[in-house]
Amino acid sequence: MRRVIGHDHFGHYHGTPFDRIVLAHDERHLRRKVLTLQQGEQILVDLPEPVLFGHGDVLVLEDGSLAEIIAAEEALYEVLPRSRQHLTELAWHLGNRHLPAQLEETRILILKDHVIKAMLEGLGARVSEIMAPFQPLRGAYHSGHGHDDHSHGSHHHHD
């Protein structure tokens, strides 16, 4: 089984991935795990620190080949505010509950939760069910086993 010994972020790698793997948001925080790529090959992710992967990031195998990570379509709520100010207020209410949320210019995406849906509707938001990739922001309190998610050892990236 081939091993993954590194990674690179979307837009920073050179080369063409030989295969891809589709992972949901809660499957993209990896350190050591066997994954099955779309074409069936199993690979061992074996990184020194946990890494949070985003859509379009790549796993670098020991032979230098690349496997691309694709964010899976997930059942989400799309939260539409009345205004930018309203979006800020809705984001505050969600953050106050430590809920994973993908904040965008005109909407917020969250995991389906009927209690939260009712709260948001009570606050005047329009909430609808959609299928989409989910890339929640990581909070200041979320880290992998006490490690900073931004320390990747010898890995370099340009944020």
Side-chain angles (χ1 to χ4, degrees), residues 111-141:
L111 295 171
K112 287 174 59 173
D113 177 326
H114 66 277
V115 173
I116 298 303
K117 179 179 192 269
M119 176 200 76
L120 292 166
E121 288 173 338
L123 292 167
R126 284 187 297 137
V127 181
S128 55
E129 292 187 28
I130 65 166
M131 289 295 293
F134 188 44
Q135 252 327 74
L137 288 170
R138 300 311 266 208
Y141 303 110

Side-chain angles (χ1 to χ4, degrees), residues 39-115:
Q39 294 173 22
E41 181 183 354
Q42 289 197 318
I43 59 172
L44 172 63
V45 176
D46 190 12
L47 301 170
E49 297 285 337
V51 175
L52 176 63
F53 290 98
H55 179 77
D57 290 351
V58 292
L59 301 169
V60 181
L61 282 71
E62 53 201 339
D63 64 2
S65 60
L66 307 173
E68 183 179 20
I69 293 177
I70 303 298
E73 296 263 313
E74 300 186 57
L76 305 172
Y77 283 145
E78 177 184 53
V79 181
L80 297 173
R82 294 185 303 260
S83 65
R84 289 182 69 103
Q85 176 63 32
H86 191 221
L87 183 124
T88 304
E89 293 166 10
L90 296 171
W92 182 88
H93 283 283
L94 292 169
N96 201 30
R97 288 161 179 78
H98 302 285
L99 295 172
Q102 179 174 327
L103 303 176
E104 297 181 359
E105 195 81 15
T106 59
R107 68 179 185 169
I108 302 170
L109 300 181
I110 60 170
L111 295 171
K112 287 174 59 173
D113 177 326
H114 66 277
V115 173

Side-chain angles (χ1 to χ4, degrees), residues 30 40 49 107 126 143 150 156:
L30 298 169
E49 297 285 337
R107 68 179 185 169
R126 284 187 297 137
S143 65
H150 297 291
H156 68 279

